Amino acid sequence: MLQDKIAPSILAADFANFATELARIEETGAEYVHIDIMDGHFVPNITFGADVVAAMRKHSRLFFDCHLMVENPEKHIASFAKAGADSVTIHVEATPHIHGALQQIKATGMQASVAINPGTPVEAILPVLGLVDQVLVMTVNPGFGGQAFLPETLEKVAALAAVRQEKGLSYQIEVDGGIDDVTVRAAKAAGANVFVAGSYLFKGDLTAGVNALRDNLHG
């Protein structure tokens, strides 16, 4: 059984105080920090790049779960490895070379993760499931925080859990978008074990929010 992990999303934090926010996340006991990289092309918004991740790395020993919502992500893998990312997630929709790009991530020593948008079927990533450490199922359309959870995406979580068991694979299943103390239960029931939460956690007491997620995972 894969360990449940909470991944607060730095996208919902105070961008002017990343060092303080990383320390706050660490104090909650969360296993990951989820870092969204957006390029203004694959998604409408722009966040930041590997240089900011490198600056964050100096202030935290947390597991850096870097989610690249960028076109042609293979161009950026080396820079995120150098910046100190522990895992890099790339979208199957963002590159025609998904297999090679995932191999490139693995070659750096980082964990490799593949993401699918709400409109992308599981079949699109079946050929690479044996390569990856994690699959990220977007439970909202990527690019903006604070969106409502799309319950129909849980069918893909369940399908991926079934494929994992059938083929004897060990990838984690991560969900991102609209995760709160209610939707986290449904996501776990479908087969997810890594839960990204942004707005829900940062709108109030961060530690209380993480604890509420854990309570609902184990309740």
Side-chain angles (χ1 to χ4, degrees):
M1 186 109 178
L2 292 166
Q3 179 194 352
D4 290 334
K5 295 169 183 172
I6 307 295
S9 173
I10 203 84
L11 183 66
D14 180 355
F15 276 29
N17 293 288
F18 277 144
T20 301
E21 297 287 58
L22 287 163
R24 289 177 65 213
I25 293 169
E26 208 158 334
E27 287 169 8
T28 70
E31 290 79 9
Y32 288 2
V33 57
H34 188 79
I35 304 173
D36 286 312
I37 311 301
M38 305 182 192
D39 65 354
H41 296 283
F42 182 68
V43 292
N45 277 345
I46 296 172
T47 53
F48 41 78
D51 52 345
V52 174
V53 173
M56 290 182 190
R57 182 81 280 175
K58 296 173 185 174
H59 298 281
S60 180
R61 293 173 294 176
L62 282 164
F63 186 98
F64 277 17
D65 178 34
C66 292
H67 177 193
L68 273 56
M69 287 176 267
V70 304
E71 291 181 0
N72 303 120
E74 54 271 30
K75 295 179 180 178
H76 306 285
I77 290 164
S79 62
F80 280 92
K82 185 178 179 183
D86 295 293
S87 174
V88 163
T89 299
I90 59 175
H91 277 258
V92 67
E93 305 91 353
T95 174
H97 310 294
I98 190 65
H99 190 281
L102 290 166
Q103 285 183 316
Q104 192 181 337
I105 295 170
K106 298 286 280 186
T108 68
M110 295 186 293
Q111 291 186 23
S113 173
V114 64
I116 51 174
N117 286 338
T120 302
V122 165
E123 287 74 17
I125 57 171
L126 289 178
V128 298
L129 290 179
L131 266 179
V132 299
D133 300 285
Q134 179 175 273
V135 178
L136 169 55
V137 176
M138 291 300 300
T139 45
V140 298
N141 289 295
F144 298 92
Q147 297 183 67
F149 182 82
L150 298 171
E152 59 271 25
T153 58
L154 293 182
E155 294 176 15
K156 291 193 281 188
V157 173
L160 285 161
V163 170
R164 180 176 60 196
Q165 183 171 2
E166 177 190 334
K167 295 187 178 296
L169 299 173
S170 57
Y171 52 81
Q172 303 189 109
I173 301 175
E174 182 174 48
V175 286
D176 180 5
I179 298 299
D180 58 25
D181 54 342
V182 175
T183 57
V184 74
R185 283 191 171 195
K188 179 173 181 176
N193 75 291
V194 182
F195 308 91
V196 178
S199 303
Y200 169 76
L201 292 178
F202 285 91
K203 69 183 179 185
D205 183 278
L206 190 57
T207 298
V210 169
N211 289 340
L213 290 180
R214 287 205 198 282
D215 290 345
N216 280 281
L217 285 172
H218 303 141

PDB file of all heavy atoms in Angstrom, residues 44-69:
ATOM      1  N   PRO A  44      -2.535  29.673 -19.665  1.00  0.00           N
ATOM      2  CA  PRO A  44      -2.517  31.131 -19.841  1.00  0.00           C
ATOM      3  C   PRO A  44      -1.597  31.874 -18.888  1.00  0.00           C
ATOM      4  O   PRO A  44      -1.045  32.923 -19.246  1.00  0.00           O
ATOM      5  CB  PRO A  44      -3.980  31.540 -19.601  1.00  0.00           C
ATOM      6  CG  PRO A  44      -4.777  30.292 -19.797  1.00  0.00           C
ATOM      7  CD  PRO A  44      -3.900  29.171 -19.373  1.00  0.00           C
ATOM      8  N   ASN A  45      -1.441  31.388 -17.678  1.00  0.00           N
ATOM      9  CA  ASN A  45      -0.670  32.125 -16.677  1.00  0.00           C
ATOM     10  C   ASN A  45       0.824  31.894 -16.803  1.00  0.00           C
ATOM     11  O   ASN A  45       1.283  30.917 -17.396  1.00  0.00           O
ATOM     12  CB  ASN A  45      -1.111  31.717 -15.267  1.00  0.00           C
ATOM     13  CG  ASN A  45      -2.343  32.474 -14.811  1.00  0.00           C
ATOM     14  OD1 ASN A  45      -2.710  33.481 -15.399  1.00  0.00           O
ATOM     15  ND2 ASN A  45      -2.997  31.983 -13.776  1.00  0.00           N
ATOM     16  N   ILE A  46       1.586  32.783 -16.178  1.00  0.00           N
ATOM     17  CA  ILE A  46       3.037  32.650 -16.040  1.00  0.00           C
ATOM     18  C   ILE A  46       3.346  32.677 -14.552  1.00  0.00           C
ATOM     19  O   ILE A  46       2.839  33.529 -13.819  1.00  0.00           O
ATOM     20  CB  ILE A  46       3.781  33.801 -16.747  1.00  0.00           C
ATOM     21  CG1 ILE A  46       3.524  33.767 -18.267  1.00  0.00           C
ATOM     22  CG2 ILE A  46       5.280  33.738 -16.457  1.00  0.00           C
ATOM     23  CD1 ILE A  46       4.070  34.979 -18.996  1.00  0.00           C
ATOM     24  N   THR A  47       4.166  31.734 -14.083  1.00  0.00           N
ATOM     25  CA  THR A  47       4.580  31.784 -12.680  1.00  0.00           C
ATOM     26  C   THR A  47       6.069  32.113 -12.593  1.00  0.00           C
ATOM     27  O   THR A  47       6.453  33.275 -12.558  1.00  0.00           O
ATOM     28  CB  THR A  47       4.241  30.476 -11.941  1.00  0.00           C
ATOM     29  OG1 THR A  47       4.770  29.352 -12.660  1.00  0.00           O
ATOM     30  CG2 THR A  47       2.747  30.316 -11.768  1.00  0.00           C
ATOM     31  N   PHE A  48       6.917  31.113 -12.591  1.00  0.00           N
ATOM     32  CA  PHE A  48       8.358  31.346 -12.451  1.00  0.00           C
ATOM     33  C   PHE A  48       9.084  30.130 -12.994  1.00  0.00           C
ATOM     34  O   PHE A  48       8.462  29.146 -13.407  1.00  0.00           O
ATOM     35  CB  PHE A  48       8.729  31.594 -10.982  1.00  0.00           C
ATOM     36  CG  PHE A  48       8.006  30.699 -10.014  1.00  0.00           C
ATOM     37  CD1 PHE A  48       8.393  29.388  -9.834  1.00  0.00           C
ATOM     38  CD2 PHE A  48       6.915  31.171  -9.281  1.00  0.00           C
ATOM     39  CE1 PHE A  48       7.728  28.550  -8.952  1.00  0.00           C
ATOM     40  CE2 PHE A  48       6.239  30.344  -8.394  1.00  0.00           C
ATOM     41  CZ  PHE A  48       6.648  29.030  -8.229  1.00  0.00           C
ATOM     42  N   GLY A  49      10.416  30.197 -12.993  1.00  0.00           N
ATOM     43  CA  GLY A  49      11.209  29.124 -13.579  1.00  0.00           C
ATOM     44  C   GLY A  49      12.175  28.485 -12.611  1.00  0.00           C
ATOM     45  O   GLY A  49      12.049  28.618 -11.384  1.00  0.00           O
ATOM     46  N   ALA A  50      13.162  27.802 -13.172  1.00  0.00           N
ATOM     47  CA  ALA A  50      14.099  27.023 -12.372  1.00  0.00           C
ATOM     48  C   ALA A  50      14.927  27.884 -11.430  1.00  0.00           C
ATOM     49  O   ALA A  50      15.342  27.419 -10.360  1.00  0.00           O
ATOM     50  CB  ALA A  50      15.024  26.219 -13.290  1.00  0.00           C
ATOM     51  N   ASP A  51      15.174  29.143 -11.788  1.00  0.00           N
ATOM     52  CA  ASP A  51      15.985  29.999 -10.921  1.00  0.00           C
ATOM     53  C   ASP A  51      15.291  30.240  -9.578  1.00  0.00           C
ATOM     54  O   ASP A  51      15.938  30.267  -8.525  1.00  0.00           O
ATOM     55  CB  ASP A  51      16.308  31.336 -11.609  1.00  0.00           C
ATOM     56  CG  ASP A  51      15.090  32.059 -12.143  1.00  0.00           C
ATOM     57  OD1 ASP A  51      14.009  31.432 -12.263  1.00  0.00           O
ATOM     58  OD2 ASP A  51      15.211  33.265 -12.465  1.00  0.00           O
ATOM     59  N   VAL A  52      13.965  30.382  -9.610  1.00  0.00           N
ATOM     60  CA  VAL A  52      13.220  30.566  -8.357  1.00  0.00           C
ATOM     61  C   VAL A  52      13.215  29.270  -7.556  1.00  0.00           C
ATOM     62  O   VAL A  52      13.336  29.290  -6.323  1.00  0.00           O
ATOM     63  CB  VAL A  52      11.790  31.064  -8.638  1.00  0.00           C
ATOM     64  CG1 VAL A  52      10.970  31.128  -7.360  1.00  0.00           C
ATOM     65  CG2 VAL A  52      11.837  32.438  -9.298  1.00  0.00           C
ATOM     66  N   VAL A  53      13.095  28.142  -8.229  1.00  0.00           N
ATOM     67  CA  VAL A  53      13.167  26.845  -7.526  1.00  0.00           C
ATOM     68  C   VAL A  53      14.529  26.686  -6.857  1.00  0.00           C
ATOM     69  O   VAL A  53      14.626  26.231  -5.713  1.00  0.00           O
ATOM     70  CB  VAL A  53      12.880  25.680  -8.498  1.00  0.00           C
ATOM     71  CG1 VAL A  53      13.121  24.333  -7.826  1.00  0.00           C
ATOM     72  CG2 VAL A  53      11.444  25.772  -9.013  1.00  0.00           C
ATOM     73  N   ALA A  54      15.591  27.087  -7.536  1.00  0.00           N
ATOM     74  CA  ALA A  54      16.934  27.019  -6.952  1.00  0.00           C
ATOM     75  C   ALA A  54      17.033  27.900  -5.709  1.00  0.00           C
ATOM     76  O   ALA A  54      17.657  27.521  -4.702  1.00  0.00           O
ATOM     77  CB  ALA A  54      17.979  27.438  -7.982  1.00  0.00           C
ATOM     78  N   ALA A  55      16.407  29.075  -5.757  1.00  0.00           N
ATOM     79  CA  ALA A  55      16.400  29.966  -4.593  1.00  0.00           C
ATOM     80  C   ALA A  55      15.615  29.344  -3.445  1.00  0.00           C
ATOM     81  O   ALA A  55      16.014  29.430  -2.276  1.00  0.00           O
ATOM     82  CB  ALA A  55      15.810  31.322  -4.980  1.00  0.00           C
ATOM     83  N   MET A  56      14.496  28.692  -3.744  1.00  0.00           N
ATOM     84  CA  MET A  56      13.704  28.008  -2.722  1.00  0.00           C
ATOM     85  C   MET A  56      14.501  26.877  -2.073  1.00  0.00           C
ATOM     86  O   MET A  56      14.408  26.660  -0.860  1.00  0.00           O
ATOM     87  CB  MET A  56      12.432  27.414  -3.341  1.00  0.00           C
ATOM     88  CG  MET A  56      11.384  28.383  -3.781  1.00  0.00           C
ATOM     89  SD  MET A  56       9.959  27.411  -4.406  1.00  0.00           S
ATOM     90  CE  MET A  56       8.996  28.693  -5.149  1.00  0.00           C
ATOM     91  N   ARG A  57      15.264  26.172  -2.903  1.00  0.00           N
ATOM     92  CA  ARG A  57      15.982  24.992  -2.414  1.00  0.00           C
ATOM     93  C   ARG A  57      16.929  25.338  -1.266  1.00  0.00           C
ATOM     94  O   ARG A  57      17.143  24.519  -0.357  1.00  0.00           O
ATOM     95  CB  ARG A  57      16.761  24.373  -3.579  1.00  0.00           C
ATOM     96  CG  ARG A  57      17.545  23.098  -3.284  1.00  0.00           C
ATOM     97  CD  ARG A  57      16.646  21.868  -3.311  1.00  0.00           C
ATOM     98  NE  ARG A  57      15.872  21.672  -2.102  1.00  0.00           N
ATOM     99  CZ  ARG A  57      14.958  20.697  -1.968  1.00  0.00           C
ATOM    100  NH1 ARG A  57      14.680  19.884  -2.967  1.00  0.00           N
ATOM    101  NH2 ARG A  57      14.298  20.564  -0.838  1.00  0.00           N
ATOM    102  N   LYS A  58      17.445  26.548  -1.264  1.00  0.00           N
ATOM    103  CA  LYS A  58      18.363  26.984  -0.205  1.00  0.00           C
ATOM    104  C   LYS A  58      17.667  27.101   1.149  1.00  0.00           C
ATOM    105  O   LYS A  58      18.328  27.153   2.185  1.00  0.00           O
ATOM    106  CB  LYS A  58      18.986  28.332  -0.575  1.00  0.00           C
ATOM    107  CG  LYS A  58      19.859  28.285  -1.820  1.00  0.00           C
ATOM    108  CD  LYS A  58      20.296  29.680  -2.227  1.00  0.00           C
ATOM    109  CE  LYS A  58      21.073  29.653  -3.532  1.00  0.00           C
ATOM    110  NZ  LYS A  58      21.393  31.015  -4.013  1.00  0.00           N
ATOM    111  N   HIS A  59      16.338  27.146   1.132  1.00  0.00           N
ATOM    112  CA  HIS A  59      15.581  27.382   2.357  1.00  0.00           C
ATOM    113  C   HIS A  59      14.763  26.184   2.815  1.00  0.00           C
ATOM    114  O   HIS A  59      14.007  26.306   3.786  1.00  0.00           O
ATOM    115  CB  HIS A  59      14.641  28.581   2.157  1.00  0.00           C
ATOM    116  CG  HIS A  59      15.356  29.864   1.864  1.00  0.00           C
ATOM    117  ND1 HIS A  59      15.954  30.621   2.845  1.00  0.00           N
ATOM    118  CD2 HIS A  59      15.599  30.503   0.686  1.00  0.00           C
ATOM    119  CE1 HIS A  59      16.517  31.678   2.286  1.00  0.00           C
ATOM    120  NE2 HIS A  59      16.312  31.631   0.987  1.00  0.00           N
ATOM    121  N   SER A  60      14.882  25.045   2.138  1.00  0.00           N
ATOM    122  CA  SER A  60      13.990  23.936   2.484  1.00  0.00           C
ATOM    123  C   SER A  60      14.593  22.585   2.140  1.00  0.00           C
ATOM    124  O   SER A  60      15.259  22.429   1.117  1.00  0.00           O
ATOM    125  CB  SER A  60      12.662  24.093   1.746  1.00  0.00           C
ATOM    126  OG  SER A  60      11.787  23.028   2.062  1.00  0.00           O
ATOM    127  N   ARG A  61      14.291  21.608   2.999  1.00  0.00           N
ATOM    128  CA  ARG A  61      14.667  20.219   2.731  1.00  0.00           C
ATOM    129  C   ARG A  61      13.461  19.391   2.295  1.00  0.00           C
ATOM    130  O   ARG A  61      13.549  18.171   2.158  1.00  0.00           O
ATOM    131  CB  ARG A  61      15.286  19.605   3.989  1.00  0.00           C
ATOM    132  CG  ARG A  61      16.623  20.216   4.379  1.00  0.00           C
ATOM    133  CD  ARG A  61      17.110  19.700   5.712  1.00  0.00           C
ATOM    134  NE  ARG A  61      16.222  20.137   6.798  1.00  0.00           N
ATOM    135  CZ  ARG A  61      16.358  19.777   8.059  1.00  0.00           C
ATOM    136  NH1 ARG A  61      17.325  18.945   8.415  1.00  0.00           N
ATOM    137  NH2 ARG A  61      15.527  20.228   8.989  1.00  0.00           N
ATOM    138  N   LEU A  62      12.334  20.057   2.074  1.00  0.00           N
ATOM    139  CA  LEU A  62      11.135  19.362   1.623  1.00  0.00           C
ATOM    140  C   LEU A  62      11.351  18.709   0.257  1.00  0.00           C
ATOM    141  O   LEU A  62      12.234  19.115  -0.510  1.00  0.00           O
ATOM    142  CB  LEU A  62       9.970  20.347   1.500  1.00  0.00           C
ATOM    143  CG  LEU A  62       9.261  20.760   2.789  1.00  0.00           C
ATOM    144  CD1 LEU A  62       8.413  22.004   2.530  1.00  0.00           C
ATOM    145  CD2 LEU A  62       8.380  19.618   3.297  1.00  0.00           C
ATOM    146  N   PHE A  63      10.530  17.720  -0.055  1.00  0.00           N
ATOM    147  CA  PHE A  63      10.525  17.088  -1.368  1.00  0.00           C
ATOM    148  C   PHE A  63       9.887  18.065  -2.349  1.00  0.00           C
ATOM    149  O   PHE A  63       8.736  18.457  -2.184  1.00  0.00           O
ATOM    150  CB  PHE A  63       9.723  15.782  -1.306  1.00  0.00           C
ATOM    151  CG  PHE A  63       9.755  14.962  -2.556  1.00  0.00           C
ATOM    152  CD1 PHE A  63      10.632  13.899  -2.678  1.00  0.00           C
ATOM    153  CD2 PHE A  63       8.894  15.240  -3.610  1.00  0.00           C
ATOM    154  CE1 PHE A  63      10.653  13.125  -3.834  1.00  0.00           C
ATOM    155  CE2 PHE A  63       8.902  14.483  -4.770  1.00  0.00           C
ATOM    156  CZ  PHE A  63       9.785  13.415  -4.878  1.00  0.00           C
ATOM    157  N   PHE A  64      10.646  18.493  -3.348  1.00  0.00           N
ATOM    158  CA  PHE A  64      10.167  19.463  -4.333  1.00  0.00           C
ATOM    159  C   PHE A  64       9.513  18.721  -5.494  1.00  0.00           C
ATOM    160  O   PHE A  64      10.171  18.097  -6.320  1.00  0.00           O
ATOM    161  CB  PHE A  64      11.319  20.332  -4.853  1.00  0.00           C
ATOM    162  CG  PHE A  64      11.682  21.499  -3.974  1.00  0.00           C
ATOM    163  CD1 PHE A  64      11.275  21.577  -2.653  1.00  0.00           C
ATOM    164  CD2 PHE A  64      12.465  22.540  -4.476  1.00  0.00           C
ATOM    165  CE1 PHE A  64      11.617  22.656  -1.848  1.00  0.00           C
ATOM    166  CE2 PHE A  64      12.810  23.624  -3.685  1.00  0.00           C
ATOM    167  CZ  PHE A  64      12.386  23.681  -2.373  1.00  0.00           C
ATOM    168  N   ASP A  65       8.193  18.803  -5.532  1.00  0.00           N
ATOM    169  CA  ASP A  65       7.348  18.144  -6.521  1.00  0.00           C
ATOM    170  C   ASP A  65       7.025  19.185  -7.599  1.00  0.00           C
ATOM    171  O   ASP A  65       6.054  19.937  -7.473  1.00  0.00           O
ATOM    172  CB  ASP A  65       6.081  17.651  -5.790  1.00  0.00           C
ATOM    173  CG  ASP A  65       5.060  16.978  -6.663  1.00  0.00           C
ATOM    174  OD1 ASP A  65       5.453  16.304  -7.623  1.00  0.00           O
ATOM    175  OD2 ASP A  65       3.852  17.104  -6.356  1.00  0.00           O
ATOM    176  N   CYS A  66       7.854  19.251  -8.646  1.00  0.00           N
ATOM    177  CA  CYS A  66       7.752  20.326  -9.638  1.00  0.00           C
ATOM    178  C   CYS A  66       6.879  19.904 -10.817  1.00  0.00           C
ATOM    179  O   CYS A  66       7.161  18.913 -11.490  1.00  0.00           O
ATOM    180  CB  CYS A  66       9.142  20.722 -10.133  1.00  0.00           C
ATOM    181  SG  CYS A  66      10.150  21.516  -8.876  1.00  0.00           S
ATOM    182  N   HIS A  67       5.850  20.666 -11.045  1.00  0.00           N
ATOM    183  CA  HIS A  67       4.839  20.379 -12.067  1.00  0.00           C
ATOM    184  C   HIS A  67       5.010  21.377 -13.209  1.00  0.00           C
ATOM    185  O   HIS A  67       4.689  22.556 -13.073  1.00  0.00           O
ATOM    186  CB  HIS A  67       3.458  20.498 -11.407  1.00  0.00           C
ATOM    187  CG  HIS A  67       2.319  20.291 -12.339  1.00  0.00           C
ATOM    188  ND1 HIS A  67       1.019  20.626 -11.995  1.00  0.00           N
ATOM    189  CD2 HIS A  67       2.241  19.774 -13.595  1.00  0.00           C
ATOM    190  CE1 HIS A  67       0.210  20.328 -12.999  1.00  0.00           C
ATOM    191  NE2 HIS A  67       0.927  19.820 -13.980  1.00  0.00           N
ATOM    192  N   LEU A  68       5.542  20.891 -14.331  1.00  0.00           N
ATOM    193  CA  LEU A  68       5.839  21.757 -15.467  1.00  0.00           C
ATOM    194  C   LEU A  68       4.646  21.818 -16.411  1.00  0.00           C
ATOM    195  O   LEU A  68       4.373  20.877 -17.167  1.00  0.00           O
ATOM    196  CB  LEU A  68       7.071  21.245 -16.228  1.00  0.00           C
ATOM    197  CG  LEU A  68       8.446  21.725 -15.736  1.00  0.00           C
ATOM    198  CD1 LEU A  68       8.673  21.407 -14.272  1.00  0.00           C
ATOM    199  CD2 LEU A  68       9.552  21.147 -16.602  1.00  0.00           C
ATOM    200  N   MET A  69       3.904  22.909 -16.331  1.00  0.00           N
ATOM    201  CA  MET A  69       2.817  23.170 -17.280  1.00  0.00           C
ATOM    202  C   MET A  69       3.386  24.071 -18.375  1.00  0.00           C
ATOM    203  O   MET A  69       3.085  25.262 -18.469  1.00  0.00           O
ATOM    204  CB  MET A  69       1.640  23.823 -16.548  1.00  0.00           C
ATOM    205  CG  MET A  69       0.896  22.854 -15.658  1.00  0.00           C
ATOM    206  SD  MET A  69      -0.420  23.638 -14.697  1.00  0.00           S
ATOM    207  CE  MET A  69       0.486  24.017 -13.196  1.00  0.00           C
TER     208      MET A  69
END
